[in-house]
Amino acid sequence: MKSQRWWRRSLARISLLALGGCIAIVFTGLIRRAAVEDDGSKYAVLPVPLYPETRLSKISCKWDAKTCLVGNLYYINGEFHAYVGSEFNSTGWDDFRVHAGIGWGSAVFHFVPDETAAANETVRSNAVDGVDNRTRIAIDDETAKELHLKSQLIPVFLHLTQAPLLSELPRDLQYRMEPTVFFSVLWPNLFRTLYAGMAAFETLLSYKLLFAGHYSMILMDKDPKPEAFFDLLQAVTPTPILWRDELTNTLFKGAALGLTRDALIAEIDLERGEEWRFHERREAFSLFCNSLKQKLLHRTAQGKPRLAPQARGSQQLIRRVFAKNPRVTLVLRDGNLRKILNEDDVIRMLKALPIHLSIHRFGHVSFTDQLFPLEFHKFVYQNLAKILGINYMYWQNNRPSQTKYNWGYVNDHRLTEMPEERVRRLPIDWYNMDSKNFWRNQDTMVNIAELSHVVNSSLAIVGGTKPPQRYLMFLPWEQLNNQLIGFKSACAVATFLNRTLVLPHLGHRSTGDYEKGSLFSVRNYTWATMERYFDLEHLQRLPCEIITMGNFIALNAGKSVGNLRYHHLGPETSDRQLTDYFKLVVKLPFDRVVYDNAYLALSKRQILKLHGGDESRILALGSMFWYYNFASALQLPPTNFQSHLGNPLYRQIESGLVISEKVRDAARAALAGLHLHECDVVAIHVRRGDYWHKCNTLVSPANFTHEDSLKMKARCLTSTPYIQMQLADHFSLPSNKTLYIMTNNGTDLSEFKSLAGNWRRVMFQQDLLPFLPANLEFDPTDLSLLDQVVGSEASLFFGNLHSSFSRHVFEKRELSGKEFVVM
């Protein structure tokens, strides 16, 4: 038991590195020793029961799971038969399908009652796609098109009669007592082989037929046979596995057909459920993994036992070595697709770390999914890691320039009629094979700095070189630029408290609702990860340690984040905003909401007093909008522009907020498409929309006169004459420059017609949109940041004193030494 506990702990450590896929890392290094031990054992061949009534077939199906258990299944002369008796109700059975495998192209068992077979002479004779006639059933053109002529339809003939007499059966008929599962591996790669084996275990377990040392497997794969990792299945099967074309005349006492749908691992969604099927699946998968590990660990290599149980001293030595230098296995893919373009740099980076590195290269293994290419992200390995209790982290490419598309391959292997333009364009159609193949078969240049950060974070957790990580989370409150103000405070607080900041989701309004007095509602926003919008390499240089939300959720593995700490910021905030963010956006469980007696613009001393003694694993706070004052008094509402870049911590945080390459390149390409350079553009930010309400309800400082208050409101909601006056103060009009006006969506642009005569051209965001890359998606957050890029790089920028959007442009220009005007 001590040996087993140590290996479970070690393998969990090994599995953390997100390069080869969790499963690959668990088993890599052992796979080559998985040759079948053929001790000459064969299936038990027993006399066939004499009396027909004892050989009557009984069928029990799990309709939702798409599997069936057939008691007394006959395989005679290449066909499956079940003799179910005259009282069997065969209605609807010819419409029921049992999928032998998990995934597209799986073989399908099809029940064919006597009357259906009699009415359809083509059941045994129809050939589809040149596959063996006996394993096909006639299907209409639409079905054939849907299945792309790949799925093998295997009839199971239902006879409404008693079982044949012994004299009517083949003389060489064998009788096999052990429960047998008939299934398909489908594709010849490591993960699919393990996935199918685990699902086979769960299928037997669901029928209470998984008995140690007493079950068998029949593989229904025909062309091609997925033999690459066949030995792994054989290692967990007590009797030799047979392929379908090796079957002889046999009566199977208990035959489980197909792989249960309850074993399915969600591929494009993160699993969060805890219903009964997840527990049964975890049990089956753990049994499979433990069986495989035990088999491999006790194999002999060159006549010597490999980590035999009695080698206690060796195990203790290995444990000490492992703790000092963890073993990392890099699994690479052979072939011409999904390549790491800078593979040597990745290997060089890993070799420089204090680890034991082993590298394995497998043909037909798609494990670069752990290094996700641009825009393509599947959760299957993360979900599997959660099932098996293995830590998991990943890296994803977010730079279009580091991507090489392989349209030629997709075009040569077209499976649908989707137009090329749509195949190449986001969003990915997860139900179209051409769309999926185009986006997953990219070649990727890995960002070494970003990957190194993920790997080192993994090693810190695995090796125990740091104290247990403690995290800071917060509610990104209100619109984008207020969310970013909160992020700056959160990073500062995480630095003070020595906590790792979990990168939040950023959101934009999913409706154009600007009703007066309407509160910010998490439910009315659309959310995405922060690293989609900001460069991850620069975020990793922030003064606070960071982790992406995706990697935090993976490591958290469904545990509660504890209490949510809410502090009230007036009528614009509510505790529901906080609970909705955790329930609906990041979907993390929590215990309850507690209330802090805090407001905003806290000092470092106040923050340490409030949270410094909190030893909880996760400190989950509400809005952090100006939560920290960055060592200066905060003016609200502002009477003049207050720069915080003189504070070194604030300056470092602002410097780390670099807008994504996708948006930066798109802004420059759009201007180039209009034959413009940044120096030809004067940018101005004019707030409308919700500012009608905000500016009219501004509360003036106590010392303001009525005239001062009117001037403050005029600066908040800048009228066209006011804008014209500001521009005239800085330019000799008319000007040969282009005026770029940034304003809210839905604004009546005719308001600005009076400005047109003084400029070479007046432009809006809508003029840039036709020049954005057609294959990439640009949501409202991207487009807001697009305007910020134009404003940051224009020859001059005019911004609004009261706007957080303008503030971010002011600060970017101040960092780069460019002039700006606060209107």
Side-chain angles (χ1 to χ4, degrees), residues 218-237:
I218 306 292
L219 295 181
M220 303 306 294
D221 300 280
K222 194 168 180 63
D223 185 24
K225 289 182 180 179
E227 298 179 283
F229 299 97
F230 172 81
D231 288 349
L232 291 175
L233 292 180
Q234 186 61 75
V236 300
T237 308

Side-chain angles (χ1 to χ4, degrees), residues 195-440:
Y195 193 0
M198 294 173 183
F201 265 48
E202 183 169 359
T203 302
L204 290 172
L205 188 67
S206 70
Y207 288 109
K208 297 180 173 55
L209 293 176
L210 187 59
F211 306 116
H214 189 70
Y215 57 87
S216 61
M217 296 182 179
I218 306 292
L219 295 181
M220 303 306 294
D221 300 280
K222 194 168 180 63
D223 185 24
K225 289 182 180 179
E227 298 179 283
F229 299 97
F230 172 81
D231 288 349
L232 291 175
L233 292 180
Q234 186 61 75
V236 300
T237 308
T239 52
I241 296 173
L242 294 179
W243 296 95
R244 175 178 163 192
D245 57 10
E246 296 175 334
L247 282 177
T248 57
N249 294 332
T250 306
L251 172 57
F252 295 93
K253 179 66 175 177
L257 303 183
L259 296 179
T260 173
R261 302 294 97 180
D262 289 338
L264 279 173
I265 304 172
E267 295 197 16
I268 59 176
D269 294 305
L270 185 61
E271 293 183 350
R272 301 176 187 271
E274 289 296 334
E275 61 264 28
W276 68 268
R277 78 174 187 91
F278 289 96
H279 297 287
E280 183 179 78
R281 187 178 61 179
R282 181 180 293 114
E283 180 184 359
F285 283 24
S286 296
L287 286 171
F288 179 90
C289 290
N290 290 335
S291 178
L292 182 58
K293 282 188 287 186
Q294 290 301 315
K295 184 72 174 182
L296 299 181
L297 293 175
H298 292 85
R299 284 195 50 78
T300 57
Q302 298 178 347
K304 297 180 180 180
R306 176 177 172 80
L307 291 178
Q310 63 269 24
R312 305 292 185 186
S314 299
Q315 292 179 11
Q316 293 171 1
L317 174 62
I318 293 173
R319 182 166 61 244
R320 290 197 299 270
V321 172
F322 187 89
K324 184 177 181 181
N325 294 110
R327 178 173 294 282
V328 173
T329 302
L330 174 61
V331 181
L332 297 172
R333 178 187 177 88
D334 271 341
N336 297 317
L337 296 172
R338 309 183 207 179
K339 292 183 293 188
I340 299 176
L341 295 173
N342 56 337
E343 183 181 291
D344 291 343
D345 294 333
V346 171
I347 294 173
R348 192 177 302 113
M349 178 271 291
L350 292 173
K351 285 184 174 179
L353 297 174
I355 61 174
H356 294 292
L357 176 67
S358 58
I359 301 171
H360 294 268
R361 191 181 300 275
F362 296 110
H364 310 293
V365 182
S366 51
F367 280 97
T368 51
D369 277 359
Q370 302 311 113
L371 296 179
F372 291 110
L374 182 73
E375 298 287 353
F376 189 90
H377 192 129
K378 297 177 76 173
F379 289 95
V380 62
Y381 295 118
Q382 182 173 340
N383 289 331
L384 183 57
K386 183 181 177 183
I387 294 169
L388 298 176
I390 297 171
N391 288 322
Y392 170 97
M393 296 180 78
Y394 68 88
W395 171 85
Q396 176 145 24
N397 176 35
N398 286 305
R399 291 180 173 83
S401 67
Q402 305 302 304
T403 295
K404 178 186 174 185
Y405 301 109
N406 289 304
W407 167 251
Y409 170 82
V410 178
N411 194 37
D412 291 341
H413 299 81
R414 290 299 296 265
L415 296 169
T416 74
E417 296 178 0
M418 178 178 279
E420 177 183 346
E421 179 276 333
R422 178 61 188 92
V423 171
R424 289 175 172 267
R425 175 168 51 84
L426 292 169
I428 298 170
D429 185 341
W430 292 101
Y431 299 97
N432 181 278
M433 290 300 295
D434 290 335
S435 179
K436 286 202 298 185
N437 282 337
F438 178 75
W439 288 98
R440 70 180 167 190

Side-chain angles (χ1 to χ4, degrees), residues 18 94 128 145 160 242 260 321 342 370 398 415 458 571 699 718 779 786:
D94 51 352
V128 179
K145 182 178 179 181
L160 307 185
L242 294 179
T260 173
V321 172
N342 56 337
Q370 302 311 113
N398 286 305
L415 296 169
S458 304
V699 178
T718 49
D779 66 21
L786 182 85

Side-chain angles (χ1 to χ4, degrees), residues 44 46 67 104 248 251 316 355 394 433 547 554 666 673 696 783 815:
L46 302 174
T67 61
W104 179 84
T248 57
L251 172 57
Q316 293 171 1
I355 61 174
Y394 68 88
M433 290 300 295
I547 184 172
N696 285 318
L783 296 179
L815 282 172

Side-chain angles (χ1 to χ4, degrees), residues 573-802:
T573 61
S574 70
D575 53 5
R576 181 174 177 176
Q577 296 167 350
L578 178 59
T579 56
D580 277 355
Y581 176 72
F582 278 88
K583 284 181 181 177
L584 306 177
V585 180
V586 294
K587 299 179 180 177
L588 290 168
F590 58 87
D591 297 339
R592 62 190 181 93
V593 178
V594 297
Y595 298 86
D596 285 337
N597 184 21
Y599 191 59
L600 79 168
L602 303 179
S603 67
K604 178 179 178 180
R605 181 178 179 181
Q606 289 173 313
I607 290 169
L608 290 174
K609 182 178 180 180
L610 187 61
H611 300 300
D614 192 333
E615 295 297 325
S616 59
R617 184 174 65 95
I618 299 167
L619 177 61
L621 300 178
S623 165
M624 301 198 74
F625 179 75
W626 290 122
Y627 191 78
Y628 173 51
N629 64 14
F630 289 96
S632 61
L634 182 65
Q635 297 178 4
L636 286 176
T639 55
N640 52 64
F641 177 64
Q642 184 181 14
S643 174
H644 294 279
L645 290 176
N647 181 293
L649 181 59
Y650 188 94
R651 190 179 191 91
Q652 190 178 357
I653 296 171
E654 178 61 41
S655 299
L657 290 174
V658 176
I659 293 171
S660 70
E661 176 195 89
K662 178 184 77 172
V663 171
R664 286 183 282 123
D665 288 352
R668 292 162 189 156
L671 290 177
L674 292 164
H675 307 290
L676 292 172
H677 189 270
E678 290 90 344
C679 63
D680 302 321
V681 177
V682 174
I684 183 169
H685 179 219
V686 182
R687 277 301 299 265
R688 291 293 185 260
D690 58 342
Y691 257 44
W692 292 103
H693 175 69
K694 177 176 179 177
C695 296
N696 285 318
T697 56
L698 275 178
V699 178
S700 303
N703 62 340
F704 264 40
T705 66
H706 178 68
E707 183 178 354
D708 290 335
S709 297
L710 292 177
K711 287 181 179 179
M712 182 179 71
K713 292 182 179 181
R715 295 186 73 183
C716 181
L717 189 63
T718 49
S719 65
T720 305
Y722 183 87
I723 294 169
Q724 186 78 287
M725 180 181 68
Q726 292 287 321
L727 294 171
D729 286 346
H730 292 82
F731 289 95
S732 176
L733 300 177
S735 172
N736 64 351
K737 290 184 178 294
T738 294
L739 181 65
Y740 183 74
I741 300 177
M742 313 170 192
T743 190
N744 300 67
N745 286 334
T747 299
D748 182 2
L749 302 183
S750 64
E751 172 189 349
F752 306 108
K753 282 183 179 179
S754 60
L755 302 176
N758 292 318
W759 301 89
R760 178 185 175 189
R761 182 179 181 182
V762 175
M763 290 198 321
F764 303 91
Q765 186 183 88
Q766 65 187 31
D767 297 303
L768 302 184
L769 298 183
F771 299 95
L772 301 185
N775 64 320
L776 301 179
E777 283 188 297
F778 291 85
D779 66 21
T781 299
D782 288 312
L783 296 179
S784 176
L785 295 171
L786 182 85
D787 274 356
Q788 289 195 23
V789 171
V790 175
S792 299
E793 299 187 356
S795 61
L796 186 62
F797 173 70
F798 292 77
N800 189 306
L801 170 65
H802 298 271

Side-chain angles (χ1 to χ4, degrees), residues 550-585:
N551 278 333
F552 170 79
I553 289 174
L555 291 176
N556 190 58
K559 295 189 289 289
S560 171
V561 300
N563 293 331
L564 305 183
R565 307 194 69 88
Y566 172 74
H567 59 281
H568 197 58
L569 290 180
E572 292 83 11
T573 61
S574 70
D575 53 5
R576 181 174 177 176
Q577 296 167 350
L578 178 59
T579 56
D580 277 355
Y581 176 72
F582 278 88
K583 284 181 181 177
L584 306 177
V585 180

